[in-house]
């Protein structure tokens, strides 16, 4: 596969919103959520299609759907199953489309007793985009995330800072994280029409066009 693995510094930082805006801007890209937890309240695939205005062909069905809104390893254990990354990613071997793959939680969220989301990234061999908050606390979380990715030889495509702009935090992440940063504003309202105000940085074309 080609494309981007969209991870975050935390849960709830804007991975799904960023995936939706990317899906709206790059009509040839498609979306996949390998592990969806908390399915009684959360459906990132439906949310991404709704926000981006793309039809059902804009996404592939989730790899695994789990009821409990907890870490993947725990949600799987409670469901009496084990997440097998080889099995989950089998279909990608013969696939050459551009995919936006949204992880669960952050880089080191456990997926079973011994593996984490980083192992899923490794199998997919996709460059990683890190979605980060713009507010206080983001420097530590973002620099830790970049260090964890690089320690595993995972390619970092860039950081997408999601929310009200904070130029000091952006500059610090670019400089101390040695990384490209793009800003995604807080969309108000959070609708497809608001996405028109955002222009994707040119470097994303390399992965998603
Ligand atoms: N750029 C944005 N503009 C407006 N609202 C946003 C933006 N980013 C995030 N939000 C708000 O924050 C909520 C959480 O964001 P989102 O669902 O994208 O997080 P996530 O990282 O995908 O979480 P999860 O780990 O559950 O997948 C959204 O439902 C939305 O209400
Ligand atoms: Mg999400």
């Amino acid at each position: 596969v080609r494309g981007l693995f969209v991870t975050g510094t935390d849960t709830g930082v804007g991975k799904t919103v960023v995936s939706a805006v990317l899906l709206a801007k790059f009509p040839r890209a498609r979306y996949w959520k390998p592990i969806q937890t908390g399915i009684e309240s959360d459906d990132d695939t439906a949310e991404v299609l709704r926000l981006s205005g793309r039809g059902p062909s804009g996404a592939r069905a989730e790899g695994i759907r789990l009821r409990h809104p907890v870490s993947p390893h725990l949600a799987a254990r409670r469901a009496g199953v084990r997440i097998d990354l080889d099995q989950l990613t089998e279909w990608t071997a013969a696939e050459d489309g551009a995919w936006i793959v949204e992880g669960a939680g952050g880089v080191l969220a456990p997926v079973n007793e011994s593996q984490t989301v980083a192992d899923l990234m490794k199998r997919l061999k996709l460059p990683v985009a890190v979605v980060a908050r713009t507010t206080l606390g983001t420097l530590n979380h973002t620099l830790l995330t970049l260090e964890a990715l690089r320690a595993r030889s995972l390619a970092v495509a860039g950081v997408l800072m999601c929310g009200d702009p904070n130029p000091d935090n952006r500059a610090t992440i670019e400089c101390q994280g040695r990384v490209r940063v793009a800003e995604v504003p807080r969309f108000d309202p959070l609708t497809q029409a608001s996405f028109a105000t955002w222009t994707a940085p040119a470097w994303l074309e390399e992965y998603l066009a």
Side-chain angles (χ1 to χ4, degrees):
V1 279
R2 299 188 299 112
L4 277 181
F5 194 108
V6 177
T7 191
T9 53
D10 200 353
T11 186
V13 287
K15 295 185 298 292
T16 299
V17 170
V18 166
S19 296
V21 75
L22 294 178
L23 206 64
K25 300 289 167 175
F26 295 99
R28 291 174 62 189
R30 286 187 285 162
Y31 173 88
W32 185 46
K33 179 90 176 176
I35 305 166
Q36 176 71 64
T37 56
I39 57 169
E40 283 171 6
S41 55
D42 298 333
D43 187 337
D44 285 4
T45 306
E47 181 69 356
V48 155
L49 292 177
R50 184 185 71 80
L51 284 174
S52 66
R54 296 273 301 265
S57 67
R60 179 186 173 87
E62 298 94 328
I64 185 166
R65 293 164 45 82
L66 298 163
R67 185 160 72 88
H68 290 94
V70 295
S71 162
H73 81 297
L74 191 55
R77 195 200 296 160
R78 288 187 185 170
V81 297
R82 178 182 183 277
I83 295 175
D84 178 332
L85 296 181
D86 288 331
Q87 201 186 330
L88 195 63
T89 57
E90 217 168 16
W91 70 274
T92 62
E95 170 62 49
D96 60 5
W99 290 86
I100 296 164
V101 178
E102 182 184 342
V107 179
L108 296 189
V111 298
N112 56 40
E113 73 295 335
S114 62
Q115 295 176 302
T116 66
V117 167
D119 294 294
L120 173 59
M121 295 168 173
K122 259 257 144 73
R123 272 182 179 56
L124 291 170
K125 298 188 185 74
L126 288 174
V128 180
V130 177
V131 179
R133 289 182 291 114
T134 59
T135 49
L136 186 64
T138 197
L139 299 179
N140 178 53
H141 283 149
T142 306
L143 296 175
L144 279 169
T145 297
L146 293 170
E147 191 167 302
L149 289 168
R150 289 173 178 149
R152 288 163 180 76
S153 303
L154 291 158
V156 177
V159 170
L160 294 156
M161 294 185 72
C162 188
D164 293 324
N166 182 315
D168 287 325
N169 284 345
R170 178 192 174 142
T172 303
I173 288 169
E174 281 174 331
C175 173
Q176 298 202 21
R178 291 165 285 114
V179 71
R180 286 185 291 216
V181 175
E183 292 174 320
V184 176
R186 188 158 58 82
F187 297 108
D188 185 17
L190 182 54
T191 58
Q192 198 193 335
S194 311
F195 289 175
T197 60
W198 187 73
T199 307
W203 54 266
L204 282 169
E205 287 169 20
E206 174 188 335
Y207 307 101
L208 298 176

